[in-house]
Every structure is written in C-alpha cells, then in structure tokens.
C-alpha cells in the first residue's frame, strides 16, 4: 500500500495491480457459488472451437449465451483486437462455431482491461435465461466500515460505476459485523433494497448463501451483476465475479490452484515467484531498491529532478544474488524503461551481494541502456570494487541525489 501511495503522490498511472487479491473467472466463480447453495445458470466452459460446439449442443433451448472469460469487467461492450465487437453474445446454436472462431484465442479490450486488453483463452457457453428483473449485488471489504459491506441496487446488468455516479441514492450499503455475521433483519433489508418481486423468503436465503460463500471462501469481493429474477420469480446469480485474499492461500488451496496466470502481467508473476515487491508504473526510469521507504524516496527524487519512475521494486533486506538477477530481468522487460537506477543502503542487505547480482544481471540480460548504481552501507567498498572491476559500463553515484540526476540526464 505504501507503493500505491507513492505512485498516487507522483500522479502516475498504475499499470500493474498489487498481488494481494486472487480473482477467478466467471465460470470458476459460478462453480464455487453453486457449491455454497447459490442458484446459478447452467454453463459449460470451453477452450476450443470444437468444445464450444459440443457444449452448445448439451444446453437447453435454441439459443445460447457465449461469454468471453477474462479478468476484467465491461466484456459486453468490449472490442476484440481483430475488430469483432462485444465479448458477450446471445446467439442461435447454429452460429456457435462462427462466433467462437472470432472470440477464442483473441484479445478483448474493455473499459477495465486497459488498452492492452486480456487474452480470451476460455469461453463460457450458458443457457439463455428468461430474466425479467436485473439487480446489482456485491459484498466487499471496506476500510471505512472495518469489515464486509453489502452493496445492493434494484438496477443491474449495466455499469454500476456510472449508475452510482448519476444516481447515488439508488445504492444501498449494509455493513455486516464480521463476528456476528449477516442477520435475518439485514438480509431482509437487502432484499427490500433489491425490490424483489418473487418469493422474499427464498431471496433472503439466497442473500445469506452469498454471504456464506464470502465468509467461508475468504473472499475480498463477491460481485453479482446481474443478480436477476426469472419468469418464475427465482433469484439467480446470472454473472458473478469473486476475489480472494492471498493471505488465505494456505487454507484455500483448491481455489488458488485455479489462478489464471495468462490474465496477469508476466512481470507481476515473476516478482511473486522470486519474492520481490513490484508494481509497474508508466515512467521511463526503472528502479531497484532495498526497503519500501527508500524505494518511495527514490521515486520521489527522480520525479523532483524531472524524471518519471517506471516501477516500484523493493528487493527486500535479505535478497540473494539470484533474486537480484531476476529483478533485473523484470525491470528490463518493460519497453518503456530507458535507464535503470539501483539504490542500495546496506544494512542486513550487503552491498557486495547486491553488486555481484548487478554484474550477473547485466551480463545475463545484455543490458543496452544506462545503469546508475548508488551503494552505501555494509561492505560498500567491496561492492564498489566488484562493479569497478567488472568492466561493464555502469555509472557510479555518490549519493541518492547524484544518482537521480545522472539517471534523468542519461535519457535526456
């Protein structure tokens, strides 16, 4: 969170989200909800055109819903990079092959995906439902309330952000005591806010079942948009998205085994693998620092001298040579990086270990951009000797201010 605060202070756009929360695809979320007693539409996930055709044949009715599975909202209004419009369609079964060919294996760009979009490796084929009333329902962890908060709105199936901005009075928020859980009174209040027209008692049980999934699965978010009623008055979680706290991975192993790395930035995945704290920004000077506070100060001083940091990267206080090499690989895979500033204050972390990692990293990646290194602290003389004797084109800096100036000047 400190890195996010620094990025926001610098007025930069954060390209890579932190790794605290696991998100699952719609079809995976539906399976978890169904296991928790929540009513969901019947659907079949497919990873090829042939599987899509077979899945459609197994579903009832003459029409099916074909949905792109990406970890970003706004799929229905999205555009594929091949020009095909919309990531969600209701189609005759006879057109399943035609649509699947245009969607699977392609990249979908939505309002929430960023301009680079997300790869569509899986399509969900679902039975078309006769929905007569669409609502919005979510459970989120909210710092302001110090626990879960249910957000309910009688209007759903569209952008909740736009609705909340135009008509904030239509949004109902119900804080839940994490110890006491959701009471019948609260569930009834939520159902009233949703303006359910069918069986209110059954709807209350569905709302409580949704909270049960949130609690038992260690969710940070359960978002259902739309939560809908069919012509029989049955409440259905027509489209759901779940998020989970990474700190609970040790007791939610089946859920975390479903993580889709293809939806994440490869740098973020690599950073987690090597226990590095990394957040990508939109600047041009790559940073490698030990300690979050020093990393934030480094980003600030780069900005102060007219540059822009390309990332927050804290290698920690006990990084090994191999981690430093991998950190170099992560930073240099960003095409926007035009120079790298390494700022190390050796305490627990020894400057000679960092220096050895820097030299190995430069040699392994074949670095072609300016590299500025500032070392201070434990074994600093040994570290400087390693860099000096490496024969590599590395600019040494006397202090942080000097390092930032040299980094900015290097790309001027």
């Amino acid at each position: 969170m400190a890195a996010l605060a620094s990025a926001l202070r610098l007025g930069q756009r954060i390209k890579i989200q932190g790794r605290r929360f696991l998100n699952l695809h719609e079809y995976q979320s539906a399976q978890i909800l169904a296991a928790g007693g929540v009513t969901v539409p019947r659907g079949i996930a497919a990873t090829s055109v042939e599987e899509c055709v077979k899945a459609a044949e197994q579903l009832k009715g003459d029409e099916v819903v074909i949905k792109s599975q990406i970890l970003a909202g706004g799929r229905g209004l999205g555009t594929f990079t091949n020009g095909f419009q919309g990531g969600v369609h209701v189609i005759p079964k006879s057109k399943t092959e035609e649509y699947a060919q245009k969607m699977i294996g392609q990249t979908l760009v939505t309002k929430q995906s960023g301009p680079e979009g997300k790869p569509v490796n899986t399509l969900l084929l679902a039975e078309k439902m006769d929905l007569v009333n669409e609502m919005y329902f979510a459970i989120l962890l909210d710092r302001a309330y110090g626990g879960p908060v249910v957000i309910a709105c009688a209007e759903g199936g569209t952008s909740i952000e736009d609705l909340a901005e135009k008509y904030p009075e239509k949004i109902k928020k119900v804080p839940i005591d994490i110890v006491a859980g959701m009471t019948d009174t609260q569930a009834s209040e939520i159902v009233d806010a949703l303006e359910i027209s069918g069986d209110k008692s059954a709807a209350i049980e569905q709302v409580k079942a949704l909270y049960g999934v949130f609690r038992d699965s260690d969710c940070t978010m359960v978002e259902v948009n739309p939560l809908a009623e069919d012509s029989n008055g049955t409440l259905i979680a027509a489209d759901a998205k779940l998020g989970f706290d990474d700190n609970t991975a040790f007791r939610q192993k089946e859920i975390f085994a479903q993580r889709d790395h293809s939806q994440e930035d490869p740098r973020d995945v690599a950073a987690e693998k090597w226990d590095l704290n990394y957040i990508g920004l939109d600047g041009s000077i790559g940073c490698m620092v030990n300690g979050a506070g020093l990393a934030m100060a480094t980003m600030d001083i780069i900005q102060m001298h007219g540059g822009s940091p390309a990332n927050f990267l804290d290698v920690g206080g006990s990084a090994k040579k191999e981690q430093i090499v991998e950190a170099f690989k992560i930073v240099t895979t960003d095409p926007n990086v035009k120079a790298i500033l390494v700022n190390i204050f050796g305490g627990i972390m020894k400057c000679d270990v960092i220096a050895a990692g820097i030299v190995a990293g430069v040699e392994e990646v074949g670095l072609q951009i300016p590299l500025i290194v500032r070392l201070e602290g434990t074994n600093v003389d040994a570290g400087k000797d390693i860099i000096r004797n490496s024969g590599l084109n590395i600019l040494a800096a006397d202090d942080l201010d000097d390092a930032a100036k040299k980094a900015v000047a290097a790309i001027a």
Side-chain angles (χ1 to χ4, degrees), residues 4 13-18 265 267-268 278-281:
L4 296 178
R13 179 173 62 86
I14 299 171
K15 296 190 294 183
I16 301 175
Q17 298 179 352
D265 190 295
R267 292 168 294 175
D268 209 23
Y278 175 84
I279 296 176
L281 306 172

Side-chain angles (χ1 to χ4, degrees), residues 213-284:
V213 171
F214 178 88
R215 178 196 61 221
D216 297 340
S217 300
D218 291 310
C219 293
T220 56
M221 173 190 69
V222 171
E223 183 181 43
V224 185
N225 188 24
L227 177 65
E229 288 182 291
D230 64 12
S231 55
N232 297 319
T234 302
L235 198 60
I236 302 171
D239 190 346
K241 182 166 64 173
L242 274 58
F244 306 85
D245 192 330
D246 284 1
N247 291 316
T248 66
F250 71 97
R251 66 184 179 202
Q252 302 289 354
K253 294 179 181 178
E254 290 186 9
I255 290 175
F256 278 79
Q258 300 180 62
R259 179 178 175 183
D260 185 356
H261 291 293
S262 72
Q263 298 292 307
E264 304 175 44
D265 190 295
R267 292 168 294 175
D268 209 23
V269 176
E272 182 175 6
K273 176 182 177 181
W274 290 95
D275 197 25
L276 301 169
N277 297 311
Y278 175 84
I279 296 176
L281 306 172
D282 59 358
S284 57

Side-chain angles (χ1 to χ4, degrees), residues 132-133 135 194-200 229-230 233:
V132 297
N133 185 23
M135 301 146 279
L194 293 170
E195 299 179 9
I196 300 293
S197 60
D199 187 338
K200 182 175 179 179
E229 288 182 291
D230 64 12

Side-chain angles (χ1 to χ4, degrees), residues 61-292:
D62 298 325
E63 293 182 313
V64 294
V65 185
I66 185 167
K67 299 182 175 185
S68 303
Q69 298 297 284
I70 65 170
L71 296 181
R75 295 172 296 168
L77 299 176
T79 302
F80 287 90
T81 53
N82 62 5
F84 186 61
Q85 296 290 322
V88 178
H89 296 273
V90 179
I91 59 172
K93 285 185 175 179
S94 60
K95 292 191 175 183
T96 300
E97 182 176 359
E98 175 189 342
Y99 275 71
Q101 287 176 339
K102 296 176 181 178
M103 297 168 72
I104 202 160
Q106 301 296 325
T107 299
L108 179 62
V109 180
T110 77
K111 189 175 181 180
Q112 296 183 19
S113 71
E116 67 278 1
K118 298 283 187 181
V120 178
N121 300 317
T122 304
L123 293 175
L124 175 63
L125 283 295
E127 291 180 352
K128 180 186 176 184
M129 298 171 292
D130 182 18
L131 303 179
V132 297
N133 185 23
E134 296 187 353
M135 301 146 279
Y136 178 88
F137 177 93
I139 310 173
L140 306 169
L141 285 178
D142 193 298
R143 286 182 181 272
Y145 291 102
V149 175
V150 174
I151 300 175
C153 180
E155 298 180 28
T158 184
S159 172
I160 191 64
E161 295 91 349
D162 294 339
L163 186 66
E165 183 177 358
K166 293 180 181 179
Y167 308 104
E169 71 279 0
K170 293 184 178 183
I171 309 297
K172 177 71 173 179
K173 297 181 180 180
V174 181
I176 307 297
D177 188 313
I178 192 66
V179 177
M182 181 181 290
T183 65
D184 290 340
T185 300
Q186 288 174 320
S188 178
E189 182 183 356
I190 293 164
V191 169
D192 288 340
L194 293 170
E195 299 179 9
I196 300 293
S197 60
D199 187 338
K200 182 175 179 179
S201 297
I204 288 174
E205 292 305 312
Q206 283 294 293
V207 168
K208 292 174 70 175
L210 283 163
Y211 182 76
V213 171
F214 178 88
R215 178 196 61 221
D216 297 340
S217 300
D218 291 310
C219 293
T220 56
M221 173 190 69
V222 171
E223 183 181 43
V224 185
N225 188 24
L227 177 65
E229 288 182 291
D230 64 12
S231 55
N232 297 319
T234 302
L235 198 60
I236 302 171
D239 190 346
K241 182 166 64 173
L242 274 58
F244 306 85
D245 192 330
D246 284 1
N247 291 316
T248 66
F250 71 97
R251 66 184 179 202
Q252 302 289 354
K253 294 179 181 178
E254 290 186 9
I255 290 175
F256 278 79
Q258 300 180 62
R259 179 178 175 183
D260 185 356
H261 291 293
S262 72
Q263 298 292 307
E264 304 175 44
D265 190 295
R267 292 168 294 175
D268 209 23
V269 176
E272 182 175 6
K273 176 182 177 181
W274 290 95
D275 197 25
L276 301 169
N277 297 311
Y278 175 84
I279 296 176
L281 306 172
D282 59 358
S284 57
I285 298 177
C287 304
M288 187 189 305
V289 190
N290 67 319

Side-chain angles (χ1 to χ4, degrees), residues 35-68:
V38 178
T39 303
V40 298
R42 186 180 177 221
I44 302 172
T47 57
S48 68
V49 174
E50 294 74 18
E51 288 182 5
C52 288
V53 174
K54 291 180 180 178
E57 293 172 350
Q58 299 176 47
L59 300 174
K60 296 178 181 178
D62 298 325
E63 293 182 313
V64 294
V65 185
I66 185 167
K67 299 182 175 185
S68 303

Side-chain angles (χ1 to χ4, degrees), residues 290 315 319 324 342 344 349-359 375:
N290 67 319
V315 299
I324 304 303
V342 178
I344 299 297
M349 168 63 67
K350 295 179 175 60
C351 291
D352 55 334
V353 174
I354 287 287
I358 291 171
V359 171
L375 299 176

Side-chain angles (χ1 to χ4, degrees), residues 364-391:
E364 189 164 336
V365 304
L367 193 66
Q368 301 297 317
I369 58 177
L371 172 63
I372 298 88
V373 177
R374 178 256 183 169
L375 299 176
E376 193 60 69
T378 306
N379 294 353
V380 62
D381 292 334
K384 289 181 177 180
D385 285 342
I386 291 173
I387 290 176
R388 188 182 305 111
N389 297 328
S390 68

